[in-house]
């Protein structure tokens, strides 16, 4: 019921908003997905393949002053994993635009970061992990977000009144740890649990030579520790444990000619183990290779986390090499390939993403992830070592 | 000795002429190309005059429709909205918002043109809510798969080229200047030179021929449907870019031009990128 309160509040704003049919738009997509896992499953109950359908319509209304209302519900129905069948409100917010500030109230999404392979410092929104292990899919976050732009930079203030728990694959789903995560019984450090009010503050500025951002976050960690626990039915599960943290983070991107230099870093203070983590690298683009319209980008990045093996991400001391091809054809064909290499534990991930438009409204995405050279030292990567997959998606945009 | 003297003399004369020419522009007393002596001076004078006639637009908005055609005549369309802000002591700021194809709807391209040095560019990806700083050195790259390169779309600041007046001749039934312009950033431009046709009366561009880095004729751009806005600003309704080497072409239509719309810096920053729809 508490969950529904902010939603009800927002809906009431929608209802009472002065609605002279100025600019009302409905856009969005419906996507069909098939995932094919190349090896037999490691854990009992897991399916070899799955099919699913997802949709995310966007309802948008803008007033003449530039203020707007946005509503983006999301739903996925999955054939194999009941945890992956899920509904979320990605956005339900009112944006008030004033000459000297912007205020966004409601459920929204904010992204911070510059690198391609690891999204380290991004913290406002929780990861919707059942959607994808790349960490780019996010759950809607209730927020009051005040943004004040000035000549000397932009100040962003966030009050985050409700916490979203990370999604995890269920027992039937692939790409999970040997023990499934029991998302119904999350444990919190703070007694207010998901009602703990979190805060964040960010300063960012752009320069001719690059962009910089610095932030401070105080609240519930988006990344849970996973604690083995025996349930009353005798089954052992992993319980997500959400700590309170203080975190400072920064992102920096420099532009020098065809080179883009990127750096993200954070320091986190918590009751278990304070740590430092960083990721960065470069991207270099060759434009119009061999007298064609094709652009070729080379990406090299590193990731470092001083928790080493205790890191909750698979990347503690890794390097990444990537290649991005943009065909610049009318179909907008693109290809991204990447290879990660773990310097301590070994363990490589190969990933490939390709996409192109078939018609003006239909786009096809092909993706493949392959895990190899995995060793038990990297718990997460070792857990999913037999989950190499090919994912085919067909998006219809309306 | 005599030779050096002559050279010094001619340099001296050139300097005087140049100063006179600058003065003439400053005081707007004479048509700028009258006093210009060398083809380079005359070319520059034409570019300065063309630029001057467009000063004071402050900000504008327009709708864009891009029709891409391959050599078999197959078409694909892109719809965009264009916003531009005049910056007094530097290049203009511009924002292009994509409406179609639908998979890129809400994607936005922000450009701070600089008179000297590289432009600043950002791309907003709405699915990730991510603003990406991109390298402006990819100026020769294709804009949205079209025959327009980024450098063709970006602000044509005077300082981005050096100039050379070639001749006057008739074009589109009018008296026209024909001049060459050479990109200052030779290393990253896709062109060795461009030949430009402007009419003498209003300094409107009617045709641009683009020559690739091997100096082969690559593309031709023609302008049509000029209309005058706010009693001052001429804008073409249609731009046609033909690639002679591939047989592909792109038609770019502009409509709903509105000048002096009251946009400000706040409409051209990373925040505004995130809220465009």
């Amino acid at each position: 019921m508490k969950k529904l309160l902010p939603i009800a509040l927002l809906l009431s704003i929608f209802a009472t908003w002065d609605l002279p049919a100025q600019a009302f738009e409905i856009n969005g997509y419906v996507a069909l997905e098939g995932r094919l896992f190349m090896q037999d499953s490691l854990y009992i109950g897991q399916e070899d393949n799955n099919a699913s359908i997802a949709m995310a319509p966007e309802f948008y209304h803008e007033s003449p002053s530039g203020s707007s209302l946005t509503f983006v519900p999301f739903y996925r129905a999955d054939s194999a994993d009941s945890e992956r069948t899920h509904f979320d409100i990605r956005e339900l917010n009112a944006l008030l635009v004033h000459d000297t500030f912007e205020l966004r109230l409601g459920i929204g999404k904010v992204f911070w970061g510059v690198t391609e392979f690891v999204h380290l410092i991004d913290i406002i929104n929780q990861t919707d992990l059942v959607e994808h292990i790349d960490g780019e899919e996010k759950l809607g976050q209730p927020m009051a977000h005040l943004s004040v732009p000035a000549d000397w930079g932009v100040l962003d203030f966030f009050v985050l009144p409700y916490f979203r728990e990370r999604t995890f694959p269920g027992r039937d789903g692939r790409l999970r740890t040997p023990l499934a995560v029991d998302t119904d019984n999350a444990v919190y450090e703070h007694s207010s649990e998901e009602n703990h009010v979190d805060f964040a503050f960010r300063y960012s500025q752009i320069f001719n030579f690059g962009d910089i951002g610095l932030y401070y976050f105080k609240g519930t960690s988006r990344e849970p520790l996973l604690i083995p626990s025996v349930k009353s039915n005798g089954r052992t599960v992993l319980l997500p444990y959400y700590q309170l943290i203080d975190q400072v983070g920064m992102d920096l991107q420099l532009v020098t000619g065809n080179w883009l230099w990127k750096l993200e870093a954070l320091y986190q203070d918590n009751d278990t183990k304070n740590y430092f983590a960083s990721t960065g690298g470069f991207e270099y683009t060759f434009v119009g290779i061999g007298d064609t319209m094709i652009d070729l980008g080379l990406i090299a990045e590193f990731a470092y986390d001083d928790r080493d093996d205790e890191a909750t991400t698979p990347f503690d001391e890794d390097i990444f090499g990537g290649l991005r091809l943009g065909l610049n054809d009318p179909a907008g064909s693109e290809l991204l390939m990447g290879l990660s290499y773990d310097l301590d534990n070994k363990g490589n991930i190969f990933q490939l993403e390709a996409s192109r438009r078939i018609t003006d409204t239909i786009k096809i995405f092909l993706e493949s992830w392959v895990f190899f050279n995995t060793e038990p030292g990297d718990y997460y990567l070792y857990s999913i070592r037999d989950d190499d997959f090919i994912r085919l998606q067909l998006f219809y945009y309306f | 000795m005599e030779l050096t003297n002559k050279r010094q003399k001619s340099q001296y004369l050139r300097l005087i002429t140049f100063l006179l020419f600058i003065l003439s522009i400053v005081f707007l007393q004479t048509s700028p190309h009258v006093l210009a002596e060398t083809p380079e001076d005359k070319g520059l004078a034409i570019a300065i005059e063309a630029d001057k006639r467009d000063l004071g637009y402050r900000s504008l908005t327009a709708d864009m429709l891009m029709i891409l055609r391959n050599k078999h005549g197959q078409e694909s369309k892109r719809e965009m909205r264009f916003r531009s802000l005049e910056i007094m002591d530097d290049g203009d700021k511009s924002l292009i918002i994509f409406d179609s194809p639908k998979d890129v709807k809400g994607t936005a391209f922000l450009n701070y043109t600089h008179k000297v040095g590289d432009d600043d560019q950002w791309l907003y990806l709405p699915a990730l809510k991510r603003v990406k700083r991109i390298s402006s050195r990819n100026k020769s790259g294709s804009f949205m798969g079209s025959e327009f390169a980024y450098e063709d779309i970006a602000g044509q600041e005077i300082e981005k080229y050096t100039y050379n007046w070639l001749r006057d001749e008739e074009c589109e039934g009018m008296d026209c200047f024909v001049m060459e312009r050479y990109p200052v950033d030779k290393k990253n431009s896709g062109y060795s030179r461009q030949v430009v046709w402007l009419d003498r009366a209003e300094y409107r561009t009617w045709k641009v021929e683009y020559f690739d880095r091997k100096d082969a004729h690559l593309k031709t751009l023609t302008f049509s449907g000029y209309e005058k806005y706010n009693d001052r600003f001429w804008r073409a309704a249609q731009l046609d870019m033909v690639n002679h080497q591939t047989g592909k072409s792109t038609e770019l239509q502009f409509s709903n031009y509105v000048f002096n719309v009251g946009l400000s810096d706040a409409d051209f920053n990373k925040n505004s990128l995130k809220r465009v729809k």
Side-chain angles (χ1 to χ4, degrees), chain A residues 3-302:
Chain A
K3 224 173 191 173
L4 291 174
L5 201 68
I7 296 170
L9 197 72
L10 252 295
L11 281 173
S12 66
I13 294 180
F14 254 97
T16 54
W17 192 268
D18 146 56
L19 285 167
Q22 289 295 336
F24 183 70
E25 279 187 18
I26 301 176
N27 295 289
Y29 69 82
V30 178
L32 295 173
E33 178 204 58
R35 279 197 310 187
L36 180 75
F37 290 90
M38 295 180 241
Q39 294 104 329
D40 291 338
S41 64
L42 273 171
Y43 315 119
I44 298 162
Q46 285 184 313
E47 300 281 340
D48 285 344
N49 303 304
N50 70 305
S52 74
I53 182 167
M55 62 198 78
E58 178 184 286
F59 304 89
Y60 177 76
H61 170 79
E62 188 177 301
S63 76
S65 65
S67 295
S68 62
L69 294 169
T70 309
F71 177 40
V72 186
F74 170 86
Y75 180 69
R76 178 181 297 281
D78 188 88
S79 68
D81 183 357
S82 60
E83 290 291 322
R84 205 159 178 261
T85 295
H86 67 304
F87 173 78
D88 182 44
I89 295 175
R90 295 294 201 226
E91 287 186 66
L92 176 57
N93 61 64
L95 173 71
L96 308 163
V97 181
H98 188 264
D99 287 345
T100 51
F101 67 87
E102 279 173 44
L103 181 63
R104 199 182 282 275
L105 293 173
I107 300 168
K109 181 176 168 185
V110 169
F111 177 84
W112 297 338
V114 290
T115 54
E116 293 302 313
F117 289 103
V118 180
H119 304 299
L120 181 73
I121 63 149
D122 190 32
I123 194 166
I124 297 293
N125 290 74
Q126 179 59 272
T127 300
D128 194 358
L129 194 68
V130 287
E131 274 297 299
H132 203 306
I133 57 168
D134 67 4
E136 288 184 357
E137 300 297 328
K138 297 288 175 180
L139 297 171
Q141 171 66 49
M143 64 175 75
H145 172 197
L146 176 70
S147 187
V148 185
D151 290 340
W152 39 267
V154 180
L155 296 178
D156 288 292
F157 303 89
F158 296 84
V159 178
L160 310 165
Y162 184 80
F163 179 77
R164 303 295 313 274
E165 291 173 6
R166 183 167 291 195
T167 60
F168 287 92
R171 267 174 55 83
D172 302 334
R174 298 293 287 255
L175 298 159
R176 70 164 168 91
T177 44
L179 298 173
V181 177
D182 182 1
T183 49
D184 294 331
N185 291 293
V187 185
Y188 289 85
E189 179 181 338
H190 197 273
S191 58
S192 316
E193 304 196 327
E194 66 267 43
N195 293 311
H196 184 268
V197 180
D198 300 344
F199 296 95
F201 165 76
R202 185 171 194 257
Y203 166 78
S204 59
Q205 175 62 313
I206 56 170
F207 300 96
N208 185 229
F209 57 84
D211 298 0
I212 189 165
L214 295 165
Y215 76 80
Y216 170 67
F217 173 90
K218 184 176 184 60
T220 312
S221 173
R222 272 47 187 157
E223 206 179 86
L225 301 175
L226 298 175
I227 301 180
S229 167
V230 181
K231 286 177 74 168
S232 54
N233 63 8
R235 185 179 278 168
T236 309
V237 293
L238 295 175
L239 293 184
Y241 175 61
Y242 293 99
Q243 305 181 93
L244 287 181
I245 61 166
D246 285 273
Q247 182 167 306
V248 286
M250 64 91 75
D251 58 275
L252 175 69
Q253 180 162 339
L254 301 176
V255 189
T256 52
N258 284 320
W259 296 88
L260 296 175
W261 296 92
K262 301 165 176 195
L263 184 68
E264 296 183 16
L266 66 82
Y267 183 79
Q268 188 186 105
D269 187 286
N270 60 51
D271 273 353
T272 319
K273 189 182 186 191
N274 299 348
Y275 75 99
F276 167 81
S278 180
T279 182
F282 68 80
E283 179 163 355
Y284 184 90
T285 306
F286 297 94
V287 180
I289 50 169
D291 280 337
T292 64
M293 283 166 92
I294 300 170
D295 295 341
L296 171 68
L298 299 180
I299 305 163
E301 289 178 2
F302 72 91

Side-chain angles (χ1 to χ4, degrees), chain A residues 305-371:
Chain A
D305 188 317
D306 71 7
R307 293 171 297 176
D308 295 331
D309 292 352
E310 294 158 41
T312 49
T313 70
F315 306 116
D316 52 358
E317 208 171 329
D318 296 69
I319 49 174
F320 306 86
L323 193 148
R324 189 202 307 276
L325 272 180
L327 262 52
N328 285 316
D329 56 346
S333 310
E334 281 180 24
L335 178 77
L336 178 67
M337 281 194 291
L339 182 69
S340 80
Y341 179 79
D342 189 317
L343 297 173
D344 313 324
N345 296 320
K346 287 196 177 171
N348 304 57
I349 302 176
F350 171 78
Q351 43 179 302
L352 179 148
E353 285 171 39
S355 66
R356 68 174 303 168
R357 264 190 296 278
I358 300 173
T359 73
D360 272 355
T361 52
I362 298 175
K363 194 168 185 177
I364 189 166
F365 290 81
L366 177 71
E367 192 180 351
S368 182
W369 287 55
V370 179
F371 313 98

Side-chain angles (χ1 to χ4, degrees), chain B residues 139-141 149-156 161 183 188-191 194:
Chain B
K139 56 179 72 171
S140 65
Y150 279 93
E151 62 186 310
D152 308 335
I153 297 275
Q156 305 289 316
Y161 302 96
N188 298 297
S189 173
Y191 312 121
Q194 302 172 10

Side-chain angles (χ1 to χ4, degrees), chain A residues 91 102 114 147 208 211 257 330, chain B residues 120 122 130 133 135 271 275:
Chain A
E91 287 186 66
E102 279 173 44
V114 290
S147 187
N208 185 229
D211 298 0
Chain B
D120 303 332
W122 296 266
R130 180 171 182 179
R133 178 93 187 228
S135 167
N271 270 20
R275 63 166 190 261

